[in-house]
Amino acid sequence: MKISLAYEDPLQLSETLQELGQVTRITQLENGEGQYTMAHKRSSGIAIAEISATKPLLYEGWGTDWSVDFNWITPKHKSSTPFGYCEGYEMSPNSIGGLNTLNTMPGGSWGKYSGACSSTACMLNKQILLDALKKCHAKTAIENLSKSRGIDVNTEAFSQLRRLTRRDLIKGISNPSKYYDLMIACLEEGGKRLYKKGEAKNQRLLGEIVNLSHDINKMKTPMTLSDVCQQLNAGQASLYRVCQDHFGMGVIEMMTQVRLEEARREMLYQKVNMPNTTSVIREIAIRFGFKHQGRFSRRYFTAFGELPSQTLDD
Amino acid sequence: MKARKAKEYIFSDLLGMESYCKNHYNEYYSKSNFSCNITQLSKGELLTSSICAPINNVHLEIFKSNQTLLYEEEANQNSVAFCWINNQGESLGSNTIISGHKMKDLSIAGFNRINKTGGNIWDIVGANTLLCCMSLKWEKMKEKIDNMNAYNAYARLEECIGIDSNSNASKQLKMLFQTHFTKGVRRSDDFYDLAIATLEEPCEKQNQLTERSETTELIEDLVKLLHEDREGLPPLTVGQISKYLNSEKDSLGQACRTNFNMNILDLIKSIRLEQVKKSYLNPHVPKGLKQFTKQHNALYYGFKNWNSFQRLYYKTYQESPEETIEKASKINVLISDLFRGSRA
């Protein structure tokens, strides 16, 4: 039995995630072709998925109206840089992130994972989870869940949860209630990490940067650094420091990358019934803030290794 | 680390200079695929020199030409350029422009050579201007920026093309550069530290910096478009150019006049004339074949009337196409030439 499906493009990952109710936009934060695999299973009140990519990916728009979307990572090899961030919470091999999806609006969450790890999502039904937590008077778990973005768990329950997920991704989910039990144990036993100086502020700023980057209404106009500083009420040095630390690039570079990915997504959707390649490319370029088609095509080529016309022709 | 002795290279044609730039850059970045285009914009015989004195991780060069030149190259992801003019104490003014940043005594520009999402750079180097150029490796610079938490410098590099700086750091950087060319400096770290310190200094007035913008990108694209050697090389009209660049004819014309002091068609003519000259200089084509195809070469680049082309060519380069072909062939000595010499 094939455990996971291989994908050619992060956009295909988005499409599969959509089947799980996640309307997520994925941007590859490094140029060049990557390799992507995804395994997923769902059952009543639960969905699990594991994604592995050789390039760093930024996920925006994570979260549904019915679930709390827990996240953890599994290192593939050693890395000198952090494996990833779930809503700004630095993910170590013993971290569970995504707790904030209890409170955020659907699609209000984000994550970024490096190519050195795979990321696993475990979506549990909000209501069932909350009822179960109340029923077993798991006070610490409730507090962790309602007030934290992430926790670190060093107990057997987390190891069991990982093993169960790995097995079920192959065989299918046989007993959803096990996930609830194990997750409650993890939430109860897990601890908050002490905040580093300025970490809470950075997490807020990161969320705002990700939101602004993906704001479809703002994509039409080219964004300068002073525009971004003004919109986020932040200094350019803070923006660059935070972006460099978390995304490995400058803020404008990151925004450009997101826009290119969005333009590519649009082009792939439109290629089926395009009337005229040149006008389609020009129209899409303008829609995503690239006023000059030539510059857009060159940037597109740098990012994806093919011209927009080739994407439409394929 | 040892400072190499400065070497001076002199060129009387721009094909030779392009090859020199390519070889030097490839030596500096072994994995690069560098290429550049240089065009003579003013009229007269050309004499250009480059004094080059690289040290480990820093490429340093002083450039001078008796003609105004237009330089174009692809932006890249691994090198940052810092360029400034040196009037040697005389306040002559300069018509040097680095990618839209008009160069004054305090200017340092060329930061847009690094462009992680693709682009190109262009410079106009004014006649008889001393242009000092320093290339730093981005990987090393980024590491230093991270260690120093110099994120204003990072932002400036990514968002700006050039600045006018009167800071102590910029003065020291220029002095260090000068010292290197007279005495030889061995430590590359000082160049990096001073460059970062220069970028970190705030610019109080908006007109002290040129930001990367739609306008600067438009000119970059225009310069790139005019250099493209597309199949068949059809003539370009202003209408086609403005359509391709998605810009109004008037604003494009205005931008062209402001930056290049000529209209678009004259700029195209200068670039294509230079391309014809380079085809005459091509060392891989035999002299006889070049003489045979000289009119076709001119036609390929859009010069339909041979007589008016010849006049323009002579007016620009102070030599005829035949003289250029003849001069280029002198580099190679043919066996038959030797035979003729012995008989005489």
Side-chain angles (χ1 to χ4, degrees):
Chain A
M1 185 189 218
K2 198 169 185 181
I3 304 170
S4 57
L5 292 169
Y7 294 85
E8 289 174 1
D9 202 300
L11 294 177
Q12 294 171 333
L13 291 174
S14 292
E15 284 168 13
T16 308
L17 285 170
Q18 220 161 12
E19 291 169 23
L20 301 177
Q22 298 285 4
V23 186
T24 308
R25 289 179 284 182
I26 305 176
T27 301
Q28 184 173 301
L29 293 178
E30 202 178 278
N31 293 338
E33 207 175 320
Q35 289 171 324
Y36 324 90
T37 56
M38 179 174 168
H40 61 96
K41 289 282 182 296
R42 69 185 305 176
S43 182
S44 166
I46 179 172
I48 50 174
E50 184 179 20
I51 299 176
S52 178
T54 53
K55 300 276 184 185
L57 298 180
L58 171 67
Y59 300 78
E60 187 273 344
W62 193 258
T64 70
D65 55 354
W66 66 271
S67 62
V68 183
D69 302 346
F70 296 101
N71 258 259
W72 61 83
I73 55 124
T74 308
K76 291 188 279 189
H77 47 81
K78 281 185 181 171
S79 171
S80 55
T81 52
F83 289 108
Y85 299 93
C86 188
E87 291 233 343
Y89 187 81
E90 188 180 320
M91 299 295 280
S92 59
N94 62 344
S95 303
I96 297 181
L99 281 56
N100 212 26
T101 49
L102 175 74
N103 304 313
T104 49
M105 297 286 284
S109 188
W110 66 275
K112 181 246 163 181
Y113 297 99
S114 80
C117 68
S118 66
S119 62
T120 306
C122 175
M123 301 159 65
L124 300 182
N125 184 291
K126 259 181 209 177
Q127 207 47 57
I128 299 173
L129 181 66
L130 287 173
D131 291 347
L133 282 165
K134 280 176 198 160
K135 202 172 156 188
C136 54
H137 303 291
K139 273 189 187 169
T140 313
I142 293 171
E143 187 171 324
N144 275 338
L145 184 60
S146 52
K147 291 185 181 164
S148 305
R149 285 170 190 257
I151 49 169
D152 286 357
V153 191
N154 289 307
T155 62
E156 180 55 25
F158 191 24
S159 306
Q160 278 190 45
L161 179 63
R162 284 169 171 281
R163 281 199 295 272
L164 177 69
T165 311
R166 254 198 313 269
R167 194 195 66 197
D168 285 0
L169 279 171
I170 301 169
K171 294 183 175 171
I173 301 167
S174 54
N175 186 355
S177 67
K178 270 191 188 174
Y179 284 89
Y180 287 88
D181 295 344
L182 287 169
M183 191 56 81
I184 290 169
C186 288
L187 288 169
E188 187 68 14
E189 292 163 357
K192 285 182 218 164
R193 198 185 293 153
L194 286 176
Y195 274 114
K196 290 177 198 161
K197 195 182 165 198
E199 197 177 340
K201 196 177 156 196
N202 285 349
Q203 285 176 350
R204 267 198 309 279
L205 184 57
L206 281 166
E208 285 168 5
I209 293 169
V210 174
N211 285 342
L212 182 65
S213 312
H214 290 83
D215 187 335
I216 204 81
N217 297 319
K218 301 257 163 59
M219 283 196 187
K220 236 182 227 171
T221 17
M223 192 77 83
T224 65
L225 180 61
S226 40
D227 294 335
V228 180
C229 290
Q230 206 175 6
Q231 302 248 6
L232 301 180
N233 195 22
Q236 60 176 25
S238 325
L239 280 172
Y240 267 85
R241 180 179 45 74
V242 161
C243 269
Q244 181 58 40
D245 284 352
H246 294 82
F247 304 125
M249 57 178 65
V251 63
I252 297 297
E253 190 188 350
M254 180 219 163
M255 289 190 161
T256 306
Q257 210 65 30
V258 171
R259 288 173 183 215
L260 285 169
E261 197 80 54
E262 287 304 294
R264 182 173 165 78
R265 185 194 308 274
E266 192 59 36
M267 237 173 298
L268 287 169
Y269 284 150
Q270 287 206 8
K271 69 187 273 187
V272 187
N273 47 9
M274 41 145 193
N276 176 325
T277 309
T278 315
S279 65
V280 168
I281 296 170
R282 183 174 295 131
E283 190 259 323
I284 290 176
I286 290 171
R287 199 183 322 158
F288 291 98
F290 300 96
K291 201 176 166 199
H292 308 302
Q293 193 192 322
R295 176 58 59 103
F296 167 69
S297 298
R298 285 157 67 194
R299 286 187 165 162
Y300 192 94
F301 187 84
T302 309
F304 306 115
E306 64 179 21
L307 290 165
S309 53
Q310 290 170 313
T311 304
L312 285 171
D313 284 344
D314 275 348
Chain B
M1 222 162 10
K2 200 176 172 185
R4 271 199 235 168
K5 205 178 167 188
K7 285 183 190 164
E8 183 168 14
Y9 301 86
I10 296 170
F11 309 95
S12 58
D13 70 71
L14 295 173
L15 190 70
M17 193 177 157
E18 284 177 7
S19 309
Y20 153 84
C21 290
K22 192 175 165 66
N23 291 340
H24 262 258
Y25 200 87
N26 287 344
E27 190 184 311
Y28 184 53
Y29 286 112
S30 54
K31 289 176 191 164
S32 75
N33 188 21
F34 175 88
S35 72
C36 63
N37 293 297
I38 311 171
T39 301
Q40 181 178 326
L41 291 183
S42 58
K43 293 181 170 47
E45 206 175 344
L46 175 80
L47 192 64
T48 296
S49 78
S50 167
I51 306 169
C52 189
I55 55 173
N56 203 10
N57 293 321
V58 187
H59 192 272
L60 302 150
E61 191 174 2
I62 299 172
F63 179 79
K64 190 178 179 180
S65 174
N66 67 340
Q67 300 295 340
T68 300
L69 302 180
L70 168 65
Y71 178 95
E72 190 264 348
E73 73 169 69
E74 276 293 294
N76 65 66
Q77 302 190 21
N78 45 28
S79 130
V80 186
F82 291 76
C83 303
W84 60 89
I85 54 170
N86 182 352
N87 281 332
Q88 296 171 309
E90 294 174 37
S91 54
L92 297 167
S94 163
N95 55 354
T96 298
I97 304 173
I98 307 278
S99 293
H101 190 81
K102 291 192 193 314
M103 299 300 280
K104 290 173 261 181
D105 286 346
L106 299 177
S107 303
I108 298 182
F111 312 148
N112 58 328
R113 178 193 257 186
I114 187 143
N115 194 332
K116 284 167 262 167
T117 49
N120 60 308
I121 62 169
W122 61 270
D123 310 334
I124 289 180
V125 184
N128 303 314
T129 301
L130 270 188
L131 186 70
C132 304
C133 299
M134 174 177 86
S135 286
L136 302 181
K137 291 190 174 172
W138 170 238
E139 206 176 307
K140 187 174 164 69
M141 186 153 187
K142 190 163 161 285
E143 194 185 316
K144 277 184 168 283
I145 285 175
D146 285 339
N147 289 339
M148 292 177 193
N149 273 332
Y151 290 102
N152 276 318
Y154 192 143
R156 187 142 290 158
L157 267 185
E158 202 158 274
E159 304 310 320
C160 279
I161 287 168
I163 55 172
D164 292 347
S165 171
N166 199 19
S167 69
N168 282 333
S170 67
K171 285 177 195 159
Q172 282 184 46
L173 177 64
K174 290 175 183 177
M175 271 163 57
L176 182 68
F177 184 94
Q178 213 56 44
T179 309
H180 177 61
F181 278 88
T182 47
K183 294 176 185 167
V185 172
R186 292 173 182 215
R187 273 177 53 82
S188 67
D189 281 347
D190 296 345
F191 287 101
Y192 282 86
D193 295 345
L194 287 169
I196 293 170
T198 300
L199 293 170
E200 270 287 295
E201 287 289 326
C203 273
E204 277 149 22
K205 292 176 193 160
Q206 199 55 36
N207 62 5
Q208 288 175 330
L209 56 89
T210 304
E211 286 185 326
R212 300 186 193 193
S213 65
E214 275 184 47
T215 317
T216 61
E217 284 186 357
L218 177 68
I219 304 295
E220 284 175 18
D221 283 349
L222 173 70
V223 175
K224 166 91 179 162
L225 177 68
L226 301 190
H227 281 93
E228 278 175 4
D229 196 341
R230 287 156 298 138
E231 203 178 333
L233 208 75
L236 269 172
T237 64
V238 179
Q240 285 169 323
I241 294 169
S242 58
K243 192 176 168 195
Y244 184 81
L245 298 175
N246 195 32
S247 176
E248 296 294 326
K249 278 185 197 173
D250 289 348
S251 57
L252 202 56
Q254 179 62 37
C256 195
R257 273 189 296 277
T258 310
N259 287 287
F260 305 107
N261 202 23
M262 58 176 80
N263 65 40
I264 296 177
L265 291 177
D266 283 338
L267 183 61
I268 298 175
K269 210 186 272 180
S270 297
I271 291 169
R272 293 203 171 179
L273 193 67
E274 192 67 59
Q275 283 168 323
V276 181
K277 187 178 179 188
K278 282 172 196 164
S279 77
Y280 294 157
L281 289 165
N282 187 342
H284 305 295
V285 180
K287 181 173 94 173
L289 182 58
K290 281 192 274 195
Q291 289 288 7
F292 185 70
T293 59
K294 64 188 179 207
Q295 288 194 33
H296 273 94
N297 290 14
L299 188 63
Y300 176 79
Y301 286 102
F303 298 96
K304 287 178 189 162
N305 186 314
W306 175 247
N307 287 334
S308 56
F309 168 78
Q310 276 183 305
R311 279 196 297 276
L312 177 69
Y313 193 95
Y314 190 83
K315 206 173 156 191
T316 308
Y317 304 120
Q318 306 289 299
E319 63 186 27
S320 66
E322 292 79 10
E323 283 169 328
T324 305
I325 294 169
E326 188 64 36
K327 237 165 56 178
S329 72
K330 280 190 180 153
I331 303 159
N332 299 319
V333 180
L334 304 176
I335 298 294
S336 54
D337 287 340
L338 295 174
F339 181 67
R340 270 200 301 276
S342 67
R343 281 175 69 184

